[in-house]
Amino acid sequence: MPANSYYFCGMQLLDGKLVSQSIKDNLKIKLGESKLQGKKTAHLAAILVGNNGASETYVASKVKSCEEVGIKSTLIRLDATIDELILINAIKKLNADNDVDGILVQLPLPSHINEEKIINLIHPDKDVDGFHPVSVGKLVQGLPTFIPATPYGIILMLEHYNIETKGKHAVVIGRSNIVGRPASILLSRNAYPGNCTVTLCHSHTINLKEICLQADIIVAALGKPGFLKADMVKENTVVIDVGITRVPDATKKSGFAIKGDVDFANVAPKTSYITPVPGGVGLMTIAALLMNTYNASLQK
């Protein structure tokens, strides 16, 4: 059990700051050794279209984390009004650049740009976001591939805390291609963490509360602040909160607070483990992206 973990009301907090730092420290050592051996430095290229506040924050954090561990990063900024063809050409150029190991395009994109087309343009060998159909297909088949960063971060966290998953009933709330679907696949795979019996729930699920009350593990990834209530969770459940929504808050200097999909104050006392928001899965997402970039560099 990690020495720096702590308890509250019999619950253990899954500390994203602690685990992500551990991953980054290990990566820094590996990248330092590679450099001493004269090997190529891992290189991540990020494309940011427009100036969405949340996207700016995410990209800045990714660039900072790259610098922290010794990954080279390139940030390409494009205006929100650009023609789609300019973005297409930027991706093609990065695909052809042998020095670039990983490419990510920060989502969401402006409405006039086809996100699916852009994602599909990124070469699968550089798809560190794990969104390309080739990456998704390999994930479904249980083959080595790039795993979408947020689900990968969840898996890394479960592994770090040695949380038992085999034979457990996992309920995933949310079926997005970025989190819900891949998380359900990973939790059901024949590996650790995995071997769960998984129920994937969504907006048309009937008797959601009853289903959640059967769960040993709940992954809340639907984007509705405070959605998962205490009466939906049985005692000693493991709760993973993927939600990260900006909610107006006049008491904050920023004018908003970050809220998760779980009613933390009331749910936490019933759980065995729970992630906080902020300080949980969000930090793990960036750590997982760094892992994917490092792994991409090893393919060269």
Side-chain angles (χ1 to χ4, degrees), residues 164-170 194-198 216-217:
E164 182 59 67
T165 58
K166 184 170 67 175
K168 302 297 183 182
H169 183 191
N195 281 311
C196 292
T197 298
V198 180
D216 302 303
I217 300 169

Side-chain angles (χ1 to χ4, degrees), residues 235-246:
E235 294 290 336
N236 296 318
T237 302
V238 177
V239 174
I240 309 293
D241 189 349
V242 184
I244 181 163
T245 304
R246 292 186 176 195

Side-chain angles (χ1 to χ4, degrees), residues 46-52 55-57 59-60 63 74-80 82 86-87 90:
I47 300 177
L48 178 61
V49 183
N51 54 1
N52 176 282
S55 293
E56 288 273 4
T57 301
V59 170
V63 170
T74 299
L75 175 56
I76 299 169
R77 289 179 173 273
L78 299 173
D79 192 82
I82 59 156
I86 293 175
L87 178 55

Side-chain angles (χ1 to χ4, degrees), residues 154 169-176 178-181 183-184 187 198-205 207-213 215 217-224 226-229 232-233 237-243 261-263 267:
I154 292 169
H169 183 191
V171 171
V172 180
I173 311 173
R175 55 180 170 180
S176 74
I178 294 173
V179 182
R181 289 186 190 278
S184 69
L187 288 168
V198 180
T199 303
L200 181 60
C201 299
H202 46 77
S203 58
H204 294 283
T205 299
N207 298 329
L208 177 60
K209 177 180 175 180
E210 286 76 6
I211 293 171
C212 287
L213 284 169
I217 300 169
I218 297 177
V219 177
L222 67 162
K224 292 186 178 181
F227 178 86
L228 189 72
K229 305 295 185 185
M232 301 170 70
V233 179
T237 302
V238 177
V239 174
I240 309 293
D241 189 349
V242 184
D261 289 346
V262 177
D263 178 10
V267 171

Side-chain angles (χ1 to χ4, degrees), residues 46-269:
I47 300 177
L48 178 61
V49 183
N51 54 1
N52 176 282
S55 293
E56 288 273 4
T57 301
Y58 295 149
V59 170
S61 183
K62 289 168 183 175
V63 170
K64 182 182 177 183
S65 293
C66 282
E67 292 172 357
E68 188 181 334
V69 302
I71 291 175
K72 179 181 176 182
S73 65
T74 299
L75 175 56
I76 299 169
R77 289 179 173 273
L78 299 173
D79 192 82
T81 60
I82 59 156
D83 186 88
E84 186 178 77
L85 186 60
I86 293 175
L87 178 55
I88 289 171
N89 288 334
I91 292 171
K92 287 182 177 179
K93 186 176 179 180
L94 293 174
N95 279 338
D97 187 342
N98 288 330
D99 188 59
V100 174
D101 300 299
I103 303 169
L104 72 85
V105 177
Q106 185 63 44
L107 304 179
L109 291 170
S111 58
H112 68 283
I113 296 177
N114 185 321
E115 284 191 0
E116 183 180 359
K117 181 195 292 187
I118 296 305
I119 288 168
N120 291 355
L121 273 173
I122 297 171
H123 194 286
D125 288 348
K126 300 186 179 188
D127 174 38
V128 289
D129 263 336
F131 296 159
H132 193 284
V134 169
S135 302
V136 176
K138 287 182 176 180
L139 178 66
V140 171
Q141 293 183 335
L143 299 172
T145 188
F146 294 116
I147 303 169
T150 299
Y152 188 17
I154 292 169
I155 292 298
L156 290 170
M157 181 171 275
L158 292 171
E159 187 175 33
H160 182 92
Y161 281 93
N162 297 313
I163 294 174
E164 182 59 67
T165 58
K166 184 170 67 175
K168 302 297 183 182
H169 183 191
V171 171
V172 180
I173 311 173
R175 55 180 170 180
S176 74
N177 292 331
I178 294 173
V179 182
R181 289 186 190 278
S184 69
I185 293 166
L186 289 165
L187 288 168
S188 66
R189 66 183 179 161
N190 186 17
Y192 175 77
N195 281 311
C196 292
T197 298
V198 180
T199 303
L200 181 60
C201 299
H202 46 77
S203 58
H204 294 283
T205 299
I206 298 171
N207 298 329
L208 177 60
K209 177 180 175 180
E210 286 76 6
I211 293 171
C212 287
L213 284 169
Q214 298 171 23
D216 302 303
I217 300 169
I218 297 177
V219 177
L222 67 162
K224 292 186 178 181
F227 178 86
L228 189 72
K229 305 295 185 185
D231 65 353
M232 301 170 70
V233 179
K234 71 179 183 182
E235 294 290 336
N236 296 318
T237 302
V238 177
V239 174
I240 309 293
D241 189 349
V242 184
I244 181 163
T245 304
R246 292 186 176 195
V247 178
D249 187 339
T251 67
K252 302 286 186 180
K253 186 178 179 181
S254 61
F256 63 85
I258 301 296
K259 298 292 184 182
D261 289 346
V262 177
D263 178 10
F264 184 90
N266 295 305
V267 171

